[in-house]
Amino acid sequence: MKVRTRLTHCAVEAAMQVVTGKWKVHILWALSPRPRRFGELRRLLPGVSEKVLIDQLRELMTDEIVHRDSQPGPVPHVEYSLTARGAALNEALRPLGAWGREHL
Amino acid sequence: MKVRTRLTHCAVEAAMQVVTGKWKVHILWALSPRPRRFGELRRLLPGVSEKVLIDQLRELMTDEIVHRDSQPGPVPHVEYSLTARGAALNEALRPLGAWGREHL
């Protein structure tokens, strides 16, 4: 069996670890069009608690999937956005979403 | 936000449920080239216990990802293979594997 195919499946498993967590796929979805403030994210993810959203954002930042940016100005605020790596992950998940829509 | 994109991410989550489980991605890998007997699968997945492999194959069969076939003949035996749905899932996971290889 080709080593490359085995590597792919180990890499699949590793990639899935990055998005395992009840809200992570939905956070990726919410951030895909544009950066969001924390409050916006909470409104887009009905049912998520503040603590869980903070924890999952922190994990996604540790994995360099999400970037946190403090915006100065008259009304200073924080924005969350996808890193290039995060945007690439979102794209890589698209075929899995298409499979899920077709088969589940 | 487009409903279609939200559906995709819900479908991603649902699809991930199908392959969540320590050995499922590796079972998909092992069955991708051709059908396998149980013993072959165990040899290809060092570390998996008999019980865990049986349980995860059963779950994959319930989800119609894997098919179990009793082969008659001089030496009757059982073979496991990917269904069309399983093979399509394997393909859908490929971009995620490529992302994992590049970013992790």
Side-chain angles (χ1 to χ4, degrees):
Chain A
M1 180 104 38
K2 277 185 291 171
V3 172
R4 182 168 184 75
T5 347
R6 179 83 198 235
L7 277 177
T8 298
H9 283 70
C10 291
V12 166
E13 211 177 6
M16 280 178 54
Q17 298 299 322
V18 171
V19 285
T20 298
K22 179 157 168 51
W23 295 97
K24 288 186 181 174
V25 169
H26 297 277
I27 292 169
L28 287 178
W29 157 73
L31 293 177
S32 51
R34 59 178 175 78
R36 305 273 186 188
R37 298 187 193 193
F38 188 83
E40 271 183 288
L41 281 175
R42 277 207 74 189
R43 281 191 299 279
L44 286 167
L45 306 174
V48 69
S49 73
E50 184 161 336
K51 179 182 181 320
V52 166
L53 184 53
I54 289 170
D55 291 345
Q56 300 219 333
L57 280 169
R58 190 174 293 134
E59 287 176 16
L60 286 168
M61 284 188 277
T62 304
D63 289 332
E64 297 172 17
I65 300 300
V66 167
H67 175 67
R68 182 181 188 277
D69 207 18
S70 301
Q71 301 281 344
V75 183
H77 60 276
V78 166
E79 279 190 347
Y80 296 91
S81 57
L82 289 182
T83 61
R85 172 190 266 204
L89 176 56
N90 229 5
E91 280 311 302
L93 286 169
R94 218 173 270 283
L96 197 55
W99 182 88
R101 277 204 319 280
E102 186 183 341
H103 293 283
L104 298 178
Chain B
M1 181 103 40
K2 278 185 291 170
V3 172
R4 183 168 184 75
T5 349
R6 180 85 199 233
L7 278 177
T8 298
H9 283 71
C10 292
V12 165
E13 214 177 3
M16 282 177 56
Q17 298 299 323
V18 171
V19 284
T20 298
K22 178 157 168 50
W23 295 94
K24 288 187 181 175
V25 169
H26 296 277
I27 292 170
L28 286 178
W29 158 72
L31 293 177
S32 51
R34 60 178 174 77
R36 305 274 186 187
R37 297 187 193 194
F38 187 83
E40 271 182 289
L41 281 174
R42 277 206 73 188
R43 280 191 299 277
L44 285 167
L45 305 175
V48 68
S49 73
E50 183 163 336
K51 180 183 180 317
V52 166
L53 184 54
I54 289 170
D55 290 346
Q56 301 220 331
L57 282 169
R58 190 176 293 136
E59 286 177 17
L60 287 168
M61 284 188 279
T62 304
D63 288 334
E64 297 172 17
I65 300 298
V66 167
H67 175 67
R68 182 181 188 277
D69 208 18
S70 302
Q71 301 282 341
V75 183
H77 60 276
V78 166
E79 280 190 343
Y80 296 91
S81 56
L82 290 182
T83 62
R85 173 188 265 202
L89 176 56
N90 229 4
E91 280 310 304
L93 287 169
R94 217 174 272 281
L96 197 55
W99 182 88
R101 276 204 317 279
E102 185 185 340
H103 293 283
L104 298 178

